[in-house]
Amino acid sequence: MTQTRATAEPVWFQEYPPQVNRVIDPDAYASVVDLLEQTFRDHRMNVAFECMGIPLTYDDLDRLTQDFASYLQNVLGFQKGDRIALMMPNLLQYPVALFGVLRAGMTVVNINPLYTPRELQYQLKDSGARAIVILENFCATLQQVLPETPLDCIITTQIGDLAPFPKSLLINSTVKYLRKLVPKWDIPGCVPLRAALARGKAQPYMRLELGHTDIAFLQYTGGTTGPSKGATLTHGNIVANLEQMSAWMQPFLKENEHHLIITALPLYHIFALILNGLLFIKLGARNMLITNPRDLPALVAEMKKHRFTAFSGVNTLFNGLMNTPGFEDLDFSHLQLVGGGGTAVQQAVAQRWQAITGKPLTEGYGLTECSPAVSFTPLDKPEWNGSIGVPLPSTLVSLRDDDNQEVAPGTAGELCVKGPQVMQGYWQKPEENDAVFTADGWLKTGDIATMDERGYLRIVDRKKDMILVSGFNVYPNEIEAIVALLPGVLECACVGVPDNKTGEAVKVFAVKKDPALTAAAVITHCRKNLTAYKVPKHVEFITELPKTNVGKILRKELRGK
C-alpha cells in the first residue's frame, strides 16, 4: 500500500475533504434490514419511490415489504438464506420485492430482464433460486426454460399493478392489448404479486435476526473463462459500502431537504442498486423510477416535472441526454450531486455536461465484487480530471505485478483492493476464488492502474479481456462460445473496440468453414442467444487467427486490426 513516509498513512488521505472521516464504522447497522427499518421510522410520511406518477411512501413500503416477507415465510414456507430471483425493470414492485426478500432473511438474485432463455436458465440453476418475481412481459422467456430450473414458485406482476384502480387497469390494458408488449405465455400455477401481498398480510411477519455474515445478494457478473459468477455480497458488505458512500457524499448534500434522485439506470445493476436504491433510501430521499430510460425524450419530459437534487448515470446516458431536445432547458438549480460510474466518463462528455447544467459530473470506480464502490472523486474538487478519484474511507488499494509484488510509485500495476465492502467470494466457485484473491487476501480487480503522488488512481488498461458496453460487462469467452456454435464457423475470437456511443462495442473475428457464411447470419444467431448489449456490432472474416506457439489466441493483436 502506498504510504507517506512521514506519517505511514495512505497518501490519498491528504485529498480527503475536511468533512470526511478516514474510516467508517462497519458495525453501524447489524444488517441492511436494520438500516431499512430505521429509515422507515424516520421518514414514514415521505415519498420513497415514485413511478409513472404513482407515489409510494416509506410507510407504504414498510407495510408492503412486511406483507411480501410474510408470504415468503408463512405461505411458501421458505427458510432464511433461500434465494429469490427478481426479473423486473424499474417499477414500484421492484423495491417492494427487493426489501421484502431481505426482510424475510432471504437472498436476492437480480436478473437482467433482457436475458435470453439460455442466460436466464443458467442464472436460476446456478443460484438455486426457489422463486422468481417476474414482470409478465418476460414470462415467455421463462416458460422456455422452466423445466430446467429449480423454481418452486413463480410470482408474476404487470406494470401497473401498484397503481390505484382504475389507473392500474388502464396501464395494464394499454401495455398488453394496445402496445402488445406482453408476448403470449402460459405457465400454470403462477401467483399474481397482488395476491401474494394479500395472503402475506393475513399472517404475521416474523422478523429474523440477521448479521454481517448473512448473504444479502448473489449479484451476478460475467466470467472471464466461462459463464457468469454470483458475487456473494453479505449484509456486512452492503452496510459497509453504504456507510462509505454516505460518509463521502452526505456532507455535500443540503441538510433538512427531501432529496429527489432520478433513477434511470436499472436497479438490477449493482451501481444503481446501491447508490440509488439503498444509499438515497438511507438518506430518506425520494426516488423517481424511470422504467424505460431508452426513451430519452420521455425521460427529459419527466425530469422537467421535478426539482431533482441528484442524478446518476453512465457515459452513454449523459451523452444521450445532452443530445436530446429540451434537456438544455431543464431547471438544474437544485442539482447537488451527479455521479458517473459503470464505465469511464469521457472528458468531452463531462465538460459539456458542466457547460450545460452548471454542475460538475463526478466520477467513481467500483465493481460488483466490491459492493460496488472502491474510489470516488473528492466532492470539494469534483471537476473531471481523468482519474477515478481516491480510495473511499476504510478502503486500501495496492498496485501489484504478476508476481504479487507492489510496483514502484508511478508504475502501472494491477489494482488490488481490501476493505469491508469486498465480497466473500463467488457462489460455489472455489477455483475462481483462488484465482481472484491473493494469498494475503487482496481482491484482484483485473484493472491496470497508476497512482500519482496525491493518491489519485487512473485506469490505464484491463488485464482481463472484459469489454465494457455502456457500463455492462461483456466477456469474450461467452460470445466466442455462442458464435462457435454456428456450423459455418471454423474458429473465432472476440474483442472490444472503441465506440462513440457505448464506450466499447463487441467485435468478432471469424474464420469461415462455410464460404457462404455472412456477417448478418452471425449477428442474427447471436441475437437469439445473447442480451442485446452482448451482440457483436462488428463481424470481420479473416483467414487465420493470430496465436501463440501453444495455440492461445492473441486477442491483443486483433484489437489493433
Side-chain angles (χ1 to χ4, degrees):
M1 181 186 70
T2 307
Q3 299 175 329
T4 57
R5 293 179 180 177
T7 63
E9 290 186 336
V11 296
W12 55 81
F13 280 170
Q14 63 188 327
E15 292 299 311
Y16 271 34
Q19 308 96 312
V20 176
N21 292 327
R22 298 177 178 185
V23 296
I24 54 97
D25 177 10
D27 299 317
Y29 299 91
S31 67
V32 178
V33 172
D34 276 5
L35 184 154
L36 289 172
E37 291 176 347
Q38 180 65 52
T39 300
F40 295 157
R41 290 191 293 269
D42 292 346
H43 304 282
R44 189 161 294 280
M45 302 315 297
N46 286 348
V47 173
F49 289 91
E50 183 176 331
C51 185
M52 295 181 286
I54 307 158
L56 199 66
T57 66
Y58 282 92
D59 188 59
D60 295 330
L61 198 57
D62 185 12
R63 173 176 47 84
L64 291 171
T65 56
Q66 285 192 58
D67 293 345
F68 190 62
S70 174
Y71 177 76
L72 296 174
Q73 294 173 331
N74 297 314
V75 180
L76 295 182
F78 290 169
Q79 303 299 311
K80 178 180 178 181
D82 281 343
R83 276 79 64 201
I84 312 296
L86 307 182
M87 191 171 177
M88 291 174 282
N90 289 355
L91 296 167
L92 294 178
Q93 295 93 310
Y94 180 85
V96 169
L98 172 76
F99 298 154
V101 172
L102 294 175
R103 296 186 83 178
M106 298 168 197
T107 299
V108 174
V109 181
N110 279 307
I111 296 180
N112 185 335
L114 300 180
Y115 268 178
T116 64
R118 181 189 65 84
E119 294 165 317
L120 174 59
Q121 177 184 324
Y122 172 80
Q123 193 163 324
L124 290 174
K125 288 183 68 175
D126 187 73
S127 65
R130 295 197 63 185
I132 186 171
V133 185
I134 183 170
L135 185 67
E136 280 194 356
N137 302 47
F138 312 110
C139 282
T141 303
L142 176 62
Q143 183 176 341
Q144 296 180 54
V145 301
L146 188 57
E148 306 301 322
T149 72
L151 294 173
D152 296 319
C153 180
I154 299 163
I155 302 164
T156 60
T157 188
Q158 299 181 70
I159 285 178
D161 274 358
L162 290 188
F165 185 83
K167 187 172 184 177
S168 58
L169 178 62
L170 177 62
I171 292 173
N172 291 338
S173 297
T174 299
V175 169
K176 193 168 187 177
Y177 300 112
L178 293 182
R179 300 186 65 186
K180 300 186 184 301
L181 295 177
V182 183
K184 289 183 180 180
W185 62 280
D186 182 16
I187 304 176
C190 291
V191 179
L193 178 61
R194 287 190 293 189
L197 292 171
R199 293 183 69 185
K201 184 178 182 179
Q203 300 195 47
Y205 157 64
M206 298 177 292
R207 189 185 188 281
L208 300 179
E209 291 300 322
L210 297 169
H212 280 202
T213 59
D214 289 306
I215 302 172
F217 296 94
L218 285 187
Q219 193 73 16
Y220 276 74
T221 185
T224 58
T225 57
S228 58
K229 307 180 293 291
T232 303
L233 304 180
T234 66
H235 282 265
N237 293 147
I238 302 300
V239 165
N241 207 226
L242 290 172
E243 287 297 291
Q244 289 166 325
M245 291 197 290
S246 179
W248 200 257
M249 297 178 180
Q250 195 166 359
F252 297 91
L253 296 171
K254 292 180 181 177
E255 294 183 8
N256 302 318
E257 182 168 350
H258 190 195
H259 290 282
L260 190 159
I261 185 167
I262 304 290
T263 302
L265 296 179
L267 287 170
Y268 59 78
H269 190 283
I270 189 69
F271 178 28
L273 171 66
I274 303 302
L275 178 63
N276 298 55
L278 284 172
L279 176 61
F280 272 82
I281 289 302
K282 175 180 182 289
L283 301 178
R286 182 179 185 177
N287 217 302
M288 184 63 56
L289 298 180
I290 306 300
T291 304
N292 181 18
R294 295 184 179 183
D295 188 346
L296 292 176
L299 173 54
V300 169
E302 187 65 33
M303 294 172 75
K304 188 176 182 178
K305 301 175 186 177
H306 307 283
R307 293 182 174 182
F308 52 94
T309 60
F311 186 82
S312 66
V314 294
N315 190 78
T316 50
L317 178 60
F318 296 127
N319 193 41
L321 280 171
M322 292 187 294
N323 288 289
T324 301
F327 179 78
E328 293 186 2
D329 301 323
L330 296 178
D331 179 8
F332 300 104
S333 61
H334 298 270
L335 187 57
Q336 299 171 35
L337 176 69
V338 184
T343 185
V345 175
Q346 296 170 343
Q347 181 177 4
V349 169
Q351 291 176 343
R352 188 181 174 203
W353 179 275
Q354 184 153 1
I356 292 174
T357 68
K359 312 292 181 179
L361 200 173
T362 53
E363 189 170 5
Y365 166 84
L367 60 163
T368 303
E369 292 86 343
C370 290
S371 306
V374 172
S375 65
F376 214 87
T377 303
L379 294 182
D380 59 347
K381 30 187 173 295
E383 287 75 14
W384 187 92
N385 62 13
S387 80
I388 55 170
V390 298
L392 289 171
S394 295
T395 302
L396 300 177
V397 300
S398 176
L399 303 184
R400 301 196 170 192
D401 61 22
D402 290 340
D403 295 322
N404 197 32
Q405 299 299 310
E406 280 209 334
V407 300
T411 304
E414 181 172 8
L415 178 59
C416 301
V417 182
K418 265 188 181 181
Q421 74 271 47
V422 175
M423 69 170 183
Q424 304 306 294
Y426 294 119
W427 177 251
Q428 298 180 336
K429 297 277 191 299
E431 292 183 359
E432 294 278 5
N433 292 333
D434 290 341
V436 78
F437 284 102
T438 67
D440 52 346
W442 292 81
L443 174 75
K444 299 188 288 186
T445 68
D447 287 316
I448 305 301
T450 61
M451 178 183 286
D452 66 20
E453 67 281 357
R454 296 186 299 159
Y456 283 87
L457 292 160
R458 284 172 172 77
I459 301 297
V460 297
D461 199 357
R462 274 195 293 284
K463 185 174 182 179
K464 51 193 176 184
D465 290 316
M466 184 182 73
I467 304 164
L468 270 177
V469 179
S470 297
F472 287 93
N473 297 354
V474 178
Y475 289 85
N477 290 66
E478 182 182 20
I479 314 303
E480 290 164 1
I482 295 300
V483 173
L485 293 175
L486 266 174
V489 172
L490 178 64
E491 57 182 358
C492 62
C494 172
V495 299
V497 295
D499 186 275
N500 289 334
K501 291 185 177 180
T502 58
E504 285 187 300
V506 177
K507 181 173 182 178
V508 165
F509 290 88
V511 178
K512 291 183 180 182
K513 182 187 298 182
D514 178 1
L517 182 67
T518 65
V522 174
I523 292 173
T524 298
H525 169 73
C526 289
R527 283 183 180 144
K528 294 177 181 178
N529 292 281
L530 296 165
T531 310
Y533 65 85
K534 298 179 183 178
V535 173
K537 188 172 183 179
H538 310 281
V539 176
E540 182 176 337
F541 295 109
I542 55 179
T543 57
E544 185 180 4
L545 295 176
K547 301 173 184 175
T548 67
N549 56 2
V550 294
K552 184 177 180 181
I553 295 172
L554 294 169
R555 292 197 184 107
K556 187 175 182 180
E557 290 190 13
L558 290 173
R559 292 191 191 99
K561 287 185 176 289

